[in-house]
Amino acid sequence: MDVNVLYNFNIEKEIDSICQRVDELKGLEDDVLEIKKYIKPCIYYKDINIKSIEKDKVVLDEIEIDSAYLAKGLSGCHKITLIVLSIGDYLNKYSKEKYHSLEFKKSSVADILGSHAVEILIDKFHNYLISKNILSGIHSSLRFSPGYGDWDLRYQKNILDILKTHKDINVSSNFLLQPIKSVTAIIGWSYQIKERNYPTGYKKEICKGINSCSNCRTWACKK
């Protein structure tokens, strides 16, 4: 299956209404209007067949992922969509420039807007994929990303290599995405309706304790 690349995925409607939904941006419509032009989405994605799912491993056509957390989340799925997306680096550069010129308000607005814009982008793209697959009776899993549960962050590099994103999105030596407003994700697809809660289990089963608990939103280890 080929890698697909999108540069024209439109989130302008969602950005135009963001100040109504994000408390930190309320009353800052003029600032958002001025800087939203720096949001430049790009999306790389590819469907990959699942060869097998074991207790603590997911075997895809192109990669094996050691993760009991991901294995639980993708249970019953027959394929996945591998995704890397970004809003680009222009907004982040704008934020840094304003910070260094002591325009802290504009710098902060740009940073907050960027954080929410990348979440809007991945949510809208996920819903787009759902609408395409549901016509064939295929249901979406939840969305999973490296760094959660026991899915090691080092897999960021493998994902970028598979999707050949290096023209637009890269990874640092400590496996952080560059530009920073970027996301990697896996979505599973099943002929059965999928569980709507993230996998849970005891720490020894789905978290090796090597990731940052403060940044973990899954509560996978039942802390």
Side-chain angles (χ1 to χ4, degrees):
M1 301 177 188
D2 295 332
V3 175
N4 301 282
V5 185
L6 297 177
Y7 290 105
N8 58 351
F9 195 79
N10 193 334
I11 58 170
E12 188 168 352
K13 179 180 177 181
E14 290 78 9
I15 296 300
D16 286 343
S17 63
I18 195 170
C19 294
Q20 303 167 23
R21 296 177 283 105
V22 178
D23 290 341
E24 297 160 296
L25 296 176
K26 285 182 178 177
L28 298 170
E29 287 81 3
D30 289 343
D31 296 278
V32 171
L33 181 64
E34 178 187 347
I35 63 177
K36 70 176 186 178
K37 63 187 177 183
Y38 296 111
I39 297 172
K40 305 289 185 181
C42 67
I43 303 171
Y44 288 75
Y45 68 103
K46 180 179 185 177
D47 288 343
I48 302 177
N49 292 322
I50 296 175
K51 296 176 74 173
S52 66
I53 297 177
E54 303 171 17
K55 181 181 178 182
D56 57 359
K57 180 184 295 186
V58 177
V59 182
L60 306 174
D61 277 348
E62 300 185 41
I63 187 174
E64 292 186 8
I65 300 174
D66 294 317
S67 171
Y69 173 69
L70 190 62
K72 282 190 175 186
L74 296 179
S75 176
C77 294
H78 61 279
K79 69 173 182 176
I80 60 98
T81 301
L82 195 61
I83 304 166
V84 180
L85 58 75
S86 177
I87 62 164
D89 203 30
Y90 296 101
L91 191 61
N92 182 51
K93 288 179 178 177
Y94 172 91
S95 179
K96 288 181 178 179
E97 289 170 2
K98 294 303 176 184
Y99 182 86
H100 290 304
S101 63
L102 305 183
E103 296 178 79
F104 300 124
K105 176 191 170 186
K106 289 187 176 181
S107 175
S108 179
V109 169
D111 185 61
I112 294 167
L113 177 62
S115 296
H116 286 279
V118 73
E119 291 297 325
I120 288 170
L121 183 61
I122 186 63
D123 285 343
K124 186 170 183 178
F125 185 64
H126 189 172
N127 287 331
Y128 163 76
L129 294 177
I130 289 172
S131 67
K132 285 183 61 178
N133 280 276
I134 199 66
L135 297 175
S136 301
I138 299 173
H139 302 275
S140 169
S141 74
L142 293 170
R143 195 166 61 238
F144 303 94
S145 294
Y148 294 95
D150 67 340
W151 188 7
D152 199 295
L153 201 62
R154 64 186 172 85
Y155 282 97
Q156 302 263 52
K157 183 179 186 306
N158 301 99
I159 293 172
L160 268 60
D161 287 343
I162 290 170
L163 294 180
K164 301 178 176 64
T165 68
H166 304 294
K167 174 185 173 185
D168 297 295
I169 306 167
N170 288 283
V171 66
S172 69
S173 59
N174 56 350
F175 307 112
L176 298 179
L177 295 174
Q178 298 172 332
I180 59 171
K181 306 301 185 185
S182 304
V183 172
T184 55
I186 275 182
I187 299 168
W189 302 101
S190 172
Y191 291 108
Q192 305 296 321
I193 295 175
K194 290 293 295 168
E195 173 67 46
R196 303 315 299 169
N197 295 308
Y198 280 99
T200 58
Y202 294 103
K203 187 170 182 177
K204 65 179 182 179
E205 295 174 340
I206 58 177
C207 180
K208 297 185 174 106
I210 57 175
N211 299 307
S212 172
C213 293
S214 63
N215 293 324
C216 180
R217 294 179 294 177
T218 65
W219 293 88
C221 64
K222 291 186 176 178
K223 292 185 285 291

